[in-house]
């Protein structure tokens, strides 16, 4: 309820993935109605795989603005063809977990290639991992580190 928030609209409503195709389509319809009613400026999806995206698009009248997915250098730039599928519909791929989720993965943080790139450019492996996401034309979200021992200077 927008009254509880004290606002007339929200910037974006997002729908998280679900394995049930009928739920995907029914829930998306509710978000489309909220958009039409001016309760939100845009609508997006979270963690939709290619088949879930296809299910949604079978009945969608509004294309999601973005698909918010985990993506890091260890996964490659087009996870299971999802980025290609998003682009087919004009959906922006928005990445989280540049160093893994829910906590940074030691395998990524200690990756010899990322470390060597970081040393060459005087950057941390976290910065190298984020740069990879951005250089692959993905939007990125960051969350603060829970491990402040890893933070030095302005790195966190």
């Amino acid at each position: 309820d927008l009254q509880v928030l004290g606002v007339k609209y929200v910037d974006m409503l997002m729908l998280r993935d679900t394995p049930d195709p009928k739920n995907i389509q029914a829930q998306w319809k509710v978000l489309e109605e909220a958009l039409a009613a001016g309760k939100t400026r845009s609508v997006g999806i979270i963690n939709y795989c290619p088949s879930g995206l296809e299910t949604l698009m079978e009945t969608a009248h509004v294309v999601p603005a973005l698909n918010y997915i985990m993506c890091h250098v260890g996964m490659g730039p087009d996870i299971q063809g999802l980025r290609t599928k998003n682009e087919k519909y004009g959906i922006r791929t928005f990445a989280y977990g540049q160093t893994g989720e829910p906590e940074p993965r030691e395998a990524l943080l200690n990756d010899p290639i990322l470390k060597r790139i970081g040393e060459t450019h005087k950057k941390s492996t976290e910065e190298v991992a984020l740069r990879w996401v951005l250089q692959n034309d993905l939007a990125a979200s960051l969350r603060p580190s829970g491990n402040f021992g890893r933070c030095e200077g302005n790195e966190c």
Side-chain angles (χ1 to χ4, degrees):
D1 186 4
L2 295 174
Q3 290 179 352
V4 171
L5 297 174
V7 297
K8 293 180 182 178
Y9 61 88
V10 293
D11 288 331
M12 180 177 282
L13 288 174
M14 298 180 71
L15 183 62
R16 188 164 176 88
D17 65 325
T18 176
D20 185 332
K22 290 183 191 236
N23 281 346
I24 289 172
Q25 293 170 340
Q27 290 172 344
W28 189 252
K29 183 178 179 188
V30 172
L31 266 63
E32 289 178 325
E33 290 168 357
L35 181 65
K39 294 180 179 181
T40 185
R41 289 183 173 183
S42 59
V43 288
I45 52 180
I46 302 171
N47 292 332
Y48 269 67
C49 65
S51 63
L53 182 56
E54 287 296 329
T55 297
L56 182 141
M57 295 307 294
E58 285 173 7
T59 59
H61 298 288
V62 175
V63 174
L66 60 86
N67 189 0
Y68 188 59
I69 61 169
M70 183 168 74
C71 183
H72 57 70
V73 65
M75 300 169 93
D78 195 13
I79 310 150
Q80 299 174 354
L82 181 56
R83 184 170 176 198
T84 300
K85 186 77 68 174
N86 287 339
E87 289 172 357
K88 170 185 168 186
Y89 292 111
I91 299 169
R92 180 84 164 132
T93 303
F94 202 108
Y96 69 87
Q98 293 80 16
T99 58
E101 279 290 320
E103 296 294 327
R105 298 221 166 100
E106 290 301 317
L108 282 171
L109 297 178
N110 295 316
D111 181 85
I113 295 171
L114 296 182
K115 285 182 126 180
R116 188 173 44 232
I117 293 168
E119 288 167 3
T120 299
H121 297 282
K122 297 182 175 39
K123 301 294 180 186
S124 68
T125 52
E126 291 91 338
E127 289 173 304
V128 173
L130 174 60
R131 180 70 179 248
W132 178 88
V133 168
L134 298 175
Q135 284 184 321
N136 277 281
D137 199 31
L138 299 164
S141 72
L142 304 172
R143 62 168 93 162
S145 172
N147 182 356
F148 295 105
R150 293 198 64 85
C151 298
E152 295 178 20
N154 292 324
E155 291 180 11
C156 294

